[in-house]
Amino acid sequence: MFEILMFLFENYMNGNITLAADHQTILTELEKIGFDRFEIGRAIDWLEGLHQFQASVQSGPQLTSLSMRYYVAEETERLGVEGVGLLARLEHLNILDPITREVVIDRLMALDPREVDLGRIKWVVLLALFNQPDKKSAIVLLQDMILADAFKVIH
């Protein structure tokens, strides 16, 4: 499913997390490319969940940077110590704020457990930040982190 999300991100999103074509058109095109119909549906549902959760969290009670986040056992198991540490680091660097952190955690929990690793956590953060105009500098920092990790060379 994650490969489909990345494909949709690169080809069908115009500056926000709303798809730039109707679902049937996207489904047909992705099936022609060779993606599985069930996985396409999961990816589209995941993106819709992202949009809905962002809207509900942003309209709910405001979280502050003084808020403390405790991870439940299922979240810790899914994200791992490294994943929780990465989210804390991204918050410390002001790439994530408490609201966006909650969106990221929700969307990571919506993934299949086998699909969650540090690289994908970064991509979910990028997707969560993508349609927030006030987060452009955070997106640039995160993209730099992703690219730096992609081009690490072992000496």
Side-chain angles (χ1 to χ4, degrees):
M1 176 185 77
F2 211 80
E3 292 78 18
I4 297 169
L5 287 173
M6 292 301 92
F7 186 85
L8 291 172
F9 179 75
E10 293 173 2
N11 296 288
Y12 288 97
M13 294 181 183
N14 297 331
N16 61 42
I17 58 171
T18 307
L19 295 172
D22 67 89
H23 291 188
Q24 189 56 48
T25 301
I26 292 170
L27 179 66
T28 302
E29 290 180 17
L30 291 176
E31 280 184 314
K32 283 181 185 176
I33 293 170
F35 289 115
D36 178 69
R37 177 180 279 265
F38 176 75
E39 291 299 312
I40 296 167
R42 282 186 60 220
I44 291 171
D45 289 346
W46 189 93
L47 283 172
E48 287 176 356
L50 174 61
H51 181 70
Q52 291 170 355
F53 193 78
Q54 275 185 329
S56 69
V57 161
Q58 289 172 347
S59 66
Q62 294 301 306
L63 301 172
T64 70
S65 59
L66 300 175
S67 303
M68 180 65 114
R69 178 57 154 91
Y70 291 96
Y71 291 84
V72 296
E74 185 181 357
E75 292 169 339
T76 304
E77 184 178 319
R78 176 84 47 98
L79 303 176
V81 173
E82 295 87 4
V84 171
L86 173 62
L87 293 179
R89 190 169 122 224
L90 293 175
E91 236 182 306
H92 179 73
L93 294 170
N94 293 319
I95 292 173
L96 283 179
D97 59 32
I99 291 173
T100 308
R101 178 199 61 219
E102 292 306 310
V103 171
V104 168
I105 293 169
D106 176 75
R107 293 294 79 203
L108 288 168
M109 296 305 290
L111 291 173
D112 184 295
R114 297 169 297 191
E115 295 178 313
V116 178
D117 60 24
L118 288 178
R120 289 186 175 152
I121 290 172
K122 291 175 189 173
W123 278 106
V124 170
V125 171
L126 186 62
L127 286 168
L129 293 171
F130 188 62
N131 73 325
Q132 298 180 35
D134 61 327
K135 301 292 184 186
K136 297 296 182 198
S137 61
I139 291 172
V140 170
L141 285 171
L142 185 62
Q143 287 174 329
D144 290 346
M145 287 177 69
I146 291 170
L147 289 173
D149 287 347
F151 293 110
K152 278 187 181 173
V153 178
I154 300 175
H155 294 277

